[in-house]
């Protein structure tokens, strides 16, 4: 029961941060929405900042765990490993779409907390990617281009559908909540890897989305 | 002088919204930062929401004007027209990077204002792109794939560097404020068009970044 109360607080907070913004949400709002009293919120998270920090940490710990699972594929080559990594990330973000959206938006602010997250988690994420890139540069699978620009584009492609759910449904008429969307979008990321990074551009694509 | 006071208010507001969030910024903060008293702010914009709405409108009016300028290139083909459109957008966003960042972040919230902006400006933007896509589908320049997925990826690529300036400088060590960055990133977008949309993937790229 205790764990459920904590999860309910987090879910309510993420929902409210996405609708009213972090600063526009009060502890009282979170208390009302989650059905927990504010003493409970204070017990688990200290204050609203502590709750946000918990969200960041939980998100990135889970995210990096998914990336780690894909590292084993490096012996099958950099392209396969990169695609497996993208697969893990897309489905993780898909499963945690509200949280992902909140995190991506909050990461664009200039706050002390964001700087700390950058210097730990975003750096770790970068090193995972860079490892794969360098493996692929060394064995000739990838075109020798700037890792920074590759990662910048990958991050843009990875985060766009989760940040802009309203744009997707109301302007593009796509349904980001459907598993079908995640599958199809992952295939687009694979095409990006094949078209942009793969040094053997004419070759057949390695690994396609199976579902 | 009056126009300058108004611009100073807008600049101060955009800066504060990017650092403290919209809800975390008060009219008093804007007044202090801009050197205008709050009666002046009320005179020009009504309230804080009116100021935000002004920012949205000014941003999108300018953005769509840039897109319009590229429409003339459609007679040179869809690929050239699309690349010219991307060029206009990238340099517009580069020139207005603080404003772009604020707009992209605010667009990810579920508010009434965002819904209204979506149904007018984001729809207009979509129709501009769709026109180009359909021209390219009809004359065989583009692969016949989903316009929605093309646009989704383009928007992700277009907005990423402006939304995440801190990530770029502190994690990727790229300098989004430099004109050099905008030039190089535009070339990446051209490569995306050539690699992903161009039906003649083997062909030489049409139009490269000149500077």
């Amino acid at each position: 029961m205790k764990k459920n109360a904590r999860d309910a607080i987090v879910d309510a907070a993420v929902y409210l941060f996405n609708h009213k913004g972090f600063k526009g949400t009060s502890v009282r709002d979170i208390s009302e929405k989650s059905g927990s009293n504010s003493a409970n919120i204070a017990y688990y998270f200290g204050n609203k900042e502590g709750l946000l920090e918990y969200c960041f940490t939980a998100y990135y710990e889970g995210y990096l765990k998914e990336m780690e699972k894909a590292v084993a594929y490096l012996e099958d080559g950099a392209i396969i490993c990169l695609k497996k990594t993208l697969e893990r990330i897309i489905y993780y973000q898909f499963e945690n779409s509200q949280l992902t959206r909140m995190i991506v938006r909050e990461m664009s602010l200039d706050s002390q907390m964001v700087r700390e997250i950058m210097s730990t988690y975003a750096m770790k994420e970068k090193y995972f990617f860079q490892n794969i890139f360098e493996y692929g540069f060394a064995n000739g699978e990838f075109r020798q281009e700037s890792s920074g620009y590759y990662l910048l584009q990958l991050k843009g492609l990875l985060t766009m559908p989760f940040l802009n759910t309203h744009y997707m449904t109301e302007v593009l008429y796509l349904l980001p909540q459907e598993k079908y969307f995640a599958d199809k979008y992952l295939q687009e990321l694979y095409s990006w890897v094949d078209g942009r990074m793969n040094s053997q551009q004419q070759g057949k694509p390695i690994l396609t989305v199976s579902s």
Side-chain angles (χ1 to χ4, degrees), chain A residues 7-172:
Chain A
D7 289 351
I9 294 167
V10 171
D11 287 350
V14 169
Y15 177 89
L16 290 163
F17 295 163
N18 275 337
H19 284 75
K20 306 170 73 161
F22 173 72
K23 299 267 184 177
T25 301
S26 67
V27 172
R28 183 188 291 183
D29 295 334
I30 299 168
S31 164
E32 275 172 19
K33 175 114 190 128
S34 66
S36 274
N37 61 45
S38 52
N40 233 357
I41 299 175
Y43 170 75
Y44 287 122
F45 305 104
N47 53 20
K48 201 174 62 160
E49 280 69 26
L51 182 45
L52 183 63
E53 201 173 334
Y54 174 87
C55 290
F56 268 115
T57 306
Y59 176 80
Y60 273 105
E61 295 286 351
Y63 185 102
L64 292 171
K65 212 168 269 172
E66 293 299 317
M67 289 193 87
E68 258 166 45
K69 287 180 196 159
V71 170
Y73 288 93
L74 204 52
E75 54 193 36
D76 299 324
I79 292 177
I80 287 182
C81 185
L82 179 57
K83 287 183 176 178
K84 283 287 176 191
T85 305
L86 298 175
E87 182 189 23
R88 289 282 180 181
I89 295 173
I90 281 288
Y91 292 120
Y92 179 73
Q93 294 185 155
F94 176 73
E95 295 294 335
N96 300 280
S97 58
Q98 287 283 322
L99 180 59
T100 301
R101 183 167 155 209
M102 194 270 278
I103 298 285
V104 173
R105 189 180 51 248
E106 289 300 319
M107 286 289 280
S108 77
L109 285 171
D110 290 333
S111 73
Q112 184 59 29
M113 195 189 297
V114 166
R115 279 162 199 270
E116 280 162 23
I117 295 289
M118 294 259 178
S119 64
T120 53
Y121 295 117
M123 274 300 190
K124 277 190 197 164
E125 180 200 16
K126 178 188 162 184
Y127 287 124
F128 270 116
F129 275 115
Q130 230 165 14
N131 251 344
I132 305 171
F133 294 168
E134 272 157 26
Y135 190 93
F137 292 149
N139 73 4
E141 282 183 88
F142 291 146
R143 296 190 207 172
Q144 289 273 5
E145 290 183 29
S146 155
S147 293
Y149 282 86
Y150 278 151
L151 188 49
L152 178 60
Q153 291 172 78
L154 271 179
K155 286 292 287 176
L157 293 170
L158 280 168
T159 52
M160 173 72 196
F162 301 97
L163 181 65
N164 296 284
T165 41
H166 270 75
Y167 178 75
M168 290 190 59
T169 51
E170 287 176 34
V171 180
L172 301 182

